[in-house]
Amino acid sequence: MRSRAAAVAALLLLAGPAPAADLPVKVTNVRVGLPPGRPDAGPVVRFASWAPVYADLELASPLPDPAELVVEAADPDEVATTFAVPLDLSAASGGVSAAALGTIGYVRPAGVGEVTVTVRAKGGKPLSEPFRVRSLRPRDPLAYVVVTLGPPFPGFELPKPTGAADDPAAAFRYGRIDLANIPDVALLPDRWFGYEGADLVVLNTGPGADDFLRRLFADPGAAAKRDALVEWVRRGGRLVVTVGANADLVGRLPALHDLLPAAVNGNRTRGPLALTWPNRAGSQTSTTTKTLGQKGATFPVAALTPRPDRPARRLIPPPDAANAGQEAFAFQSAVGLGKVTVVGFDLDRPPFTEFAARPEFWDWVLAEGGAARASAGGDGKPRPPAATLSEEEDEAAVGLRAHADSFDGVPVVSFGWVAVLIVLYLLLVGPVEYFVLKRVLGRLELTWVTFPLIVLTMSLAAYFTAYALKGRELRANKVDVVDVDAAGGRVYGTTWCTVFSPRIDTYTVGVEPNDGLAAASPGTAVSWVGAPRGGRASLLRRSYAYHADADALEKVPVQVWSTKSFGANWAGWFDPLGPAPVAKSDLAHPPGDPGAVIGTFTLNLPVPVLTDCVLFYAGQAYPLPGGTVRPGEPVRPVWDRLTPATQWLQKEGGLEDLLRRAPGYADRPGAAKAPAAAPGAAAGPLPLFGVLFHEACLTYGEGVVPRNASLRRLDQSWRLTPDNRSEVILVGRAVTPAGTPAEEALSGPGAGSRLWLRGLPGSGDRAPLPGTGRQETWVRVYLPVR
């Protein structure tokens, strides 16, 4: 009886505390992901991308004490993560939506699994029972997600393959394109990373969007949502704004109007329009010309004019001599790392909804406003929901992750050796021990002594062997991509880091701009990096928490001789007019020749020297003579060895080298194998041109598809056009060799960011990093040309 009671007690202990009775809050429903844009679809959520979490609550009476909405999900290592946001319940009762109270939770799903939502007091006391969303199935990274804001766009569809005219799935490229719609300002993310799962956002300003526009761009109470959208664009997001009948309203909303690449001067009533736009086929000369509207009918068209304060490209009609002087109906410009496109007529009402070429025009919107080749649907194969997640067409991210997880001098013990040792162990504790005790000693009872000795000896042998192979010092590899907007005075950073822990330990992980680079600005997002897993937390109840707004991770558990990978998206400010700005451009067009560039530029980066430097201008690549740029030294390009940018990138960009580091890519049938590296060593410096300009690195050969699904925002291939003469882009890198002391390597002058492992950034108590590290920094600078 005692043993049975003890077993029951143990089971109750594992199960946790009994449910509390009469809790003041009840979570009645939870929706994870962006609201669907089709009636037959569910919320849109993608693997390893932040997604909003909307919770419906029921309260018996208002709660005066501060509360939190807590979202829990497992990471790729099946360790539970928690994200908490403040929740004001002081004036709420009955059935309410947390979003209507100004609170949206967030989760970053690691695979098919469970998401748990709970309301708790600030001190941790539960105020509700947990609500579990079971079997959440995020989309694969290759899914291309289009999010529309405001009223939906009726008749949204894309060209269908030949013979599929009656197949409704073909309008969304057989599951490759996902459509979401957020019709209510209350449902908009209030953190910029809430849009991370979106590849393209399309803002509808048509007649039905008046209230939506006024609330989002004029209501002080919506400032957080407005700022989140703009910051997402600045960090690489792509936004398309359609303006027609409501052009006057758009012009009266400075927060929206100032974001656009062209000034909106009201609208004009026009008859049929002859629209010309480039085809998707990859040819720079092939275009489509169609007439929008019926003869004798009129409709409002926005009067768009170039802005004197912002260089912009004219898209419709295309910018060539034949179209010079014609009225333009679409413009595009850069905003930070992102781009904003404005289309001068409504896409949610006639005549566009009756336009025969409507699918082809939407195809152009996706290609020109977002990622040109990724929006085409990759290899074109249908992608129905599957039981497991795939990282297909995301091999650039997988290769980068594999590189960061390779440590010089830390060999990986193959499964073959592990299997051999297990077999030897079983032989030793089985037949060998029995033979010795039975045939040699003749005393089987000695197994009570010999068996523990064998187990202890083998355990010690395994420990000291691993100790000799793995070492006892902490190791870390870090890769930084630093984008410098010289005109805007902003720095945008993306960091990948893998930590090898020599012991069972916990780490508080944070990232911030390095000294001398920029002053940190709010909005850093730090999270895990990993491959898709089951998505269910382990029974051991290990967990860690996102610090406020995901700007750090607190108490992340890492097992002995194990690795854990993290990623961060951060930003900072610098004074572009200061005495020594991070980047200063004195480049200009000479009089009478708007296509040429003269002058100098100067960098004042903390990096001692940038190597392998290449300039890109107006669709051309120019490797700098000597390939180096040093702080404080003016550089005067000669522009005497120009090569088409796509041609140079396809030959010198190293995309194939990067992709071959991804095991799934290297092991595909007929693939060339990567050069063998020493056990535990990285396969040479990381080539990142294939991330920075991915689509420009691709050829148009058969079977060539984009393979940067989760890194699309970093791809600036769209800037490498012949008509982009307003900026010069410099790319260079700095590499700190492996074995350098970790503090010097990961937070010293050669690093773009400073890594925290024992405290929160800004807390003032940062401890120097122990052990050794390897740092690789890629810098991309956008230099304006006057």
Side-chain angles (χ1 to χ4, degrees):
M1 288 294 293
R2 272 186 194 175
S3 61
R4 183 177 298 176
V8 171
L11 288 173
L12 291 175
L13 183 63
L14 287 173
D22 300 326
L23 293 174
V25 182
K26 182 179 180 180
V27 182
T28 58
N29 190 31
V30 170
R31 298 171 302 285
V32 179
L34 297 163
R38 294 183 289 162
D40 59 341
V44 179
V45 56
R46 193 162 61 180
F47 163 72
S49 294
W50 286 100
V53 177
Y54 305 102
D56 295 332
L57 311 176
E58 188 174 298
L59 292 83
S61 61
L63 297 179
D65 297 328
E68 295 176 323
L69 186 73
V70 183
V71 182
E72 180 178 314
D75 74 0
D77 296 319
E78 300 181 350
V79 180
T81 69
T82 58
F83 184 98
V85 287
L87 180 62
D88 185 2
L89 300 175
S90 59
S93 62
V96 297
S97 163
L101 298 176
T103 297
I104 297 176
Y106 297 91
V107 69
R108 198 160 179 263
V112 179
E114 185 175 277
V115 175
T116 303
V117 176
T118 311
V119 178
R120 70 184 184 193
K122 275 288 188 178
K125 178 183 176 182
L127 300 177
S128 76
E129 293 288 345
F131 187 101
R132 291 180 171 83
V133 179
R134 303 185 187 275
S135 300
L136 175 73
R137 204 254 177 228
R139 291 299 306 273
D140 295 331
L142 58 79
Y144 194 86
V145 178
V146 179
V147 180
T148 62
L149 306 184
F153 291 93
F156 175 92
E157 64 174 314
L158 300 171
K160 298 179 180 179
T162 303
D166 298 327
D167 187 351
F172 294 89
R173 300 205 162 113
Y174 297 103
R176 303 295 294 255
I177 305 293
D178 262 330
L179 185 64
N181 173 249
I182 306 180
D184 187 351
V185 171
L187 300 179
L188 292 173
D190 54 2
R191 273 80 165 171
W192 68 264
F193 52 78
Y195 291 96
E196 188 181 23
D199 291 292
L200 177 66
V201 170
V202 184
L203 174 62
N204 186 355
T205 70
D210 297 46
D211 182 63
F212 184 92
L213 295 175
R214 289 191 179 96
R215 288 183 60 196
L216 177 57
F217 293 103
D219 185 354
K225 298 177 181 294
R226 181 168 61 248
D227 293 345
L229 176 62
V230 174
E231 185 65 16
W232 171 76
V233 172
R234 292 187 180 279
R235 297 189 187 220
R238 286 86 190 271
L239 174 67
V240 173
V241 182
T242 64
V243 183
N246 258 343
D248 288 333
L249 175 60
V250 171
R252 295 195 305 269
L253 297 172
L256 172 57
H257 189 256
D258 293 347
L259 190 63
L260 301 181
V264 180
N265 304 297
N267 58 40
R268 303 167 183 159
T269 301
R270 295 291 305 269
L273 297 179
L275 301 179
T276 300
W277 64 87
N279 287 332
R280 180 188 281 279
S283 168
Q284 306 219 353
T285 58
S286 177
T287 60
T288 295
T289 300
K290 298 290 183 179
T291 299
L292 174 64
Q294 300 295 323
K295 186 176 180 179
T298 61
F299 57 94
V301 175
L304 305 177
T305 56
R307 305 178 68 113
D309 59 337
R310 182 180 304 165
R313 298 171 54 216
R314 187 182 68 185
L315 301 181
I316 298 179
D320 54 46
N323 299 318
Q326 293 188 21
E327 182 179 4
F329 304 108
F331 286 91
Q332 184 180 92
S333 69
V335 177
L337 300 187
K339 60 178 174 179
V340 177
T341 306
V342 61
V343 178
F345 47 87
D346 293 316
L347 305 186
D348 66 333
R349 58 186 305 203
F352 183 79
T353 53
E354 302 166 354
F355 190 27
R358 184 182 69 253
E360 288 75 17
F361 192 86
W362 270 117
D363 191 41
W364 173 84
V365 170
L366 267 62
E368 191 64 57
R373 296 183 64 172
S375 62
D379 59 11
K381 297 177 182 177
R383 284 295 187 275
T388 59
L389 292 176
S390 165
E391 291 186 289
E392 188 179 354
E393 297 185 21
D394 199 25
E395 287 86 353
V398 177
L400 197 159
R401 187 174 72 227
H403 177 81
D405 200 29
S406 299
F407 290 87
D408 293 330
V410 182
V412 177
V413 180
S414 68
F415 176 77
W417 277 110
V418 173
V420 169
L421 293 175
I422 291 175
V423 170
L424 290 176
Y425 175 72
L426 293 176
L427 290 174
L428 188 60
V429 298
V432 172
E433 183 193 26
Y434 177 81
F435 179 81
V436 171
L437 295 180
K438 176 72 174 179
R439 302 295 184 184
V440 177
L441 300 179
R443 299 183 60 183
L444 288 176
E445 65 272 14
L446 291 179
T447 189
W448 292 100
V449 177
T450 57
F451 182 78
L453 286 176
I454 293 172
V455 172
L456 179 61
T457 301
M458 294 296 292
S459 299
L460 290 175
Y463 174 81
F464 285 110
T465 300
Y467 184 86
L469 291 173
K470 305 287 188 178
R472 61 178 181 179
E473 67 177 3
L474 182 140
R475 299 168 186 256
N477 296 333
K478 183 157 70 74
V479 177
D480 287 321
V481 170
V482 179
D483 285 285
V484 180
D485 180 0
R490 289 204 68 179
V491 173
Y492 305 93
T494 305
T495 296
W496 298 266
C497 178
T498 300
V499 174
F500 171 82
S501 180
R503 62 185 64 85
I504 298 176
D505 209 340
T506 60
Y507 300 89
T508 294
V509 183
V511 176
E512 62 183 354
N514 210 346
D515 290 335
L517 182 62
S521 61
T524 296
V526 182
S527 190
W528 49 262
V529 171
R533 298 289 177 87
R536 183 180 297 274
S538 69
L539 295 176
L540 298 179
R541 303 301 300 169
R542 297 176 298 156
S543 67
Y544 58 94
Y546 290 95
H547 189 248
D549 289 339
D551 61 359
L553 300 173
E554 296 186 278
K555 298 182 179 179
V556 182
V558 183
Q559 299 305 301
V560 61
W561 297 316
S562 297
T563 62
K564 189 80 173 180
S565 297
F566 309 97
N569 186 317
W570 47 271
W573 296 93
F574 68 91
D575 183 2
L577 302 178
V582 173
K584 179 183 179 182
S585 175
D586 292 312
L587 300 171
H589 299 298
D593 192 354
V597 177
I598 59 174
T600 65
F601 66 87
T602 307
L603 302 185
N604 293 291
L605 296 164
V607 178
V609 59
L610 283 182
T611 62
D612 304 316
C613 293
V614 181
L615 297 178
F616 297 93
Y617 170 69
Q620 301 289 314
Y622 173 63
L624 279 178
T628 60
V629 174
R630 299 181 184 278
E633 296 182 0
V635 178
R636 185 181 300 274
V638 181
W639 308 105
D640 59 345
R641 294 182 294 115
L642 295 176
T643 305
T646 53
Q647 178 181 324
W648 188 91
L649 287 166
Q650 289 165 13
K651 181 179 180 182
E652 306 291 345
L655 176 59
E656 191 67 19
D657 182 7
L658 172 63
L659 297 179
R660 284 202 304 261
R661 298 171 191 242
Y665 182 84
D667 296 339
R668 74 191 195 284
K673 301 300 180 183
L686 185 67
L688 276 192
F689 280 106
V691 169
L692 305 181
F693 303 103
H694 183 79
E695 293 198 353
C697 290
L698 300 175
T699 66
Y700 279 91
E702 183 179 355
V704 178
V705 297
R707 299 188 180 276
N708 66 333
S710 65
L711 302 175
R712 290 172 187 149
R713 69 174 187 85
L714 290 174
D715 183 7
Q716 300 291 306
S717 299
W718 59 274
R719 294 183 188 252
L720 304 181
T721 57
D723 59 325
N724 183 14
R725 298 185 176 93
S726 62
E727 64 183 357
V728 170
I729 303 175
L730 165 71
V731 179
R733 65 179 175 181
V735 178
T736 301
T740 304
E743 180 66 16
E744 177 185 344
L746 307 180
S747 300
S753 66
R754 181 165 50 236
L755 178 66
W756 293 62
L757 291 179
R758 295 297 184 188
L760 296 171
S763 62
D765 57 353
R766 180 178 180 276
L769 301 176
T772 59
R774 184 184 73 221
Q775 170 72 42
E776 296 173 72
T777 302
W778 282 76
V779 178
R780 183 168 48 182
V781 186
Y782 306 90
L783 301 161
V785 180
R786 293 181 285 107

